[in-house]
Amino acid sequence: WGYITRNPAKLAGRNRQPAPRSVRVFSRGELDAIAAELSLMYAPLPIFAAATGLRPEEWQALERRDVDRRAGVVNVLRTVSDGEMVELAKTNISRRQVPLTRRALAALDALPARLDSTAIFPAPKGGLLNLDNFRRRQWRPAIEASGVRTPARIYDLRSTFASDALAAGVSVFELARVMGTSVRMIERHYGALLDGATAGIAKRLDAFDADRDRVADVNAKHT
């Protein structure tokens, strides 16, 4: 009988993680140029996706009832997996509320009225949008016609949101929650953006200290 004297799992070494996706961020002008080349029903899509950071399979599954204008959020309650709509469990971190900026709301307002589907971004004839068909028939021709530099992937709309949020001073913890992921994943995929985002920390701390000093001076004068 032979005996294993060493742990095969240790011999295999640590699990190799795939390399982080390269970060491509669209400018405002690029987004507008892409939107101008898409058909009327999908022109608002790149603006909305870049303003919310939703995954493609999440905005595929969005319905009009998910938009809460009074609260100023869109509720992410379901996703698309293998061409099927899937309800997210309440414990799933992807199930969340995403704030709607003025640009996101303007994109929703620009959508043409549809009576044949409750989806925000339905297939041309109604029903669930097929992402592969959309990429082939709408996205790629729009990228080519717009002259936007490539690569220009649909998923880069999510990276654009992350970049804008970090530039605006949104914390990594807030960003992870809004994007439905972990702080670790934000750091892994957007590490280069984080390096730039730290540049304004000293200025924000200085501004906070200055405000605190002014309040202290005012209080001292009234005592």
Side-chain angles (χ1 to χ4, degrees):
W1 293 89
Y3 295 93
I4 297 176
T5 59
R6 301 181 66 185
N7 188 335
K10 290 185 177 181
L11 291 174
R14 300 181 64 182
N15 290 334
R16 294 183 180 180
Q17 291 185 331
R21 180 190 296 268
S22 60
V23 176
R24 161 72 157 100
V25 176
F26 293 114
S27 68
R28 183 67 62 87
E30 287 178 321
L31 289 173
D32 291 341
I34 296 169
E37 298 297 338
L38 290 169
S39 64
L40 183 62
M41 71 173 67
Y42 297 121
L45 197 159
I47 309 300
F48 177 83
T52 57
L54 268 61
R55 301 175 179 89
E57 60 269 25
E58 292 173 339
W59 52 251
Q60 269 182 282
L62 279 184
E63 298 183 353
R64 289 192 292 271
R65 58 180 171 153
D66 299 325
V67 177
D68 187 340
R69 289 178 177 268
R70 180 173 296 180
V73 299
V74 60
N75 296 292
V76 181
L77 305 176
R78 63 194 74 83
T79 187
V80 173
S81 178
D82 295 328
E84 299 284 337
M85 192 88 77
V86 178
E87 293 287 335
L88 294 169
K90 292 184 178 180
T91 55
N92 192 316
I93 63 171
S94 293
R95 182 176 176 132
R96 63 201 188 279
Q97 289 187 323
V98 176
L100 291 170
T101 62
R102 285 178 294 182
R103 191 162 167 82
L105 286 168
L108 291 175
D109 290 339
L111 287 168
R114 295 286 296 265
L115 298 177
D116 59 340
S117 176
T118 59
I120 290 180
F121 300 108
K125 295 183 180 180
L128 189 63
L129 177 68
N130 183 297
L131 191 60
D132 289 334
N133 288 343
F134 172 78
R135 185 182 290 108
R136 184 175 64 256
R137 298 171 183 173
Q138 291 275 341
W139 183 260
R140 288 174 184 166
I143 294 299
E144 184 176 351
S146 68
V148 167
R149 71 174 175 87
T150 56
R153 300 158 298 196
I154 293 175
Y155 203 90
D156 294 327
L157 297 168
R158 181 168 163 87
S159 297
T160 299
F161 171 80
S163 175
D164 290 349
L166 290 170
V170 176
S171 73
V172 178
F173 301 99
E174 292 172 312
L175 186 58
R177 183 171 183 176
V178 169
M179 294 185 73
T181 188
S182 66
V183 170
R184 181 170 175 271
M185 292 302 292
I186 293 291
E187 292 175 338
R188 174 173 169 76
H189 290 283
Y190 304 110
L193 301 180
L194 286 171
D195 292 340
T198 59
I201 290 178
K203 291 182 179 179
R204 295 199 299 272
L205 288 173
D206 286 341
F208 175 78
D209 285 338
D211 288 339
R212 184 165 53 186
D213 290 342
R214 281 194 292 270
V215 172
D217 290 341
V218 170
N219 291 337
K221 290 177 182 179
H222 289 82
T223 57

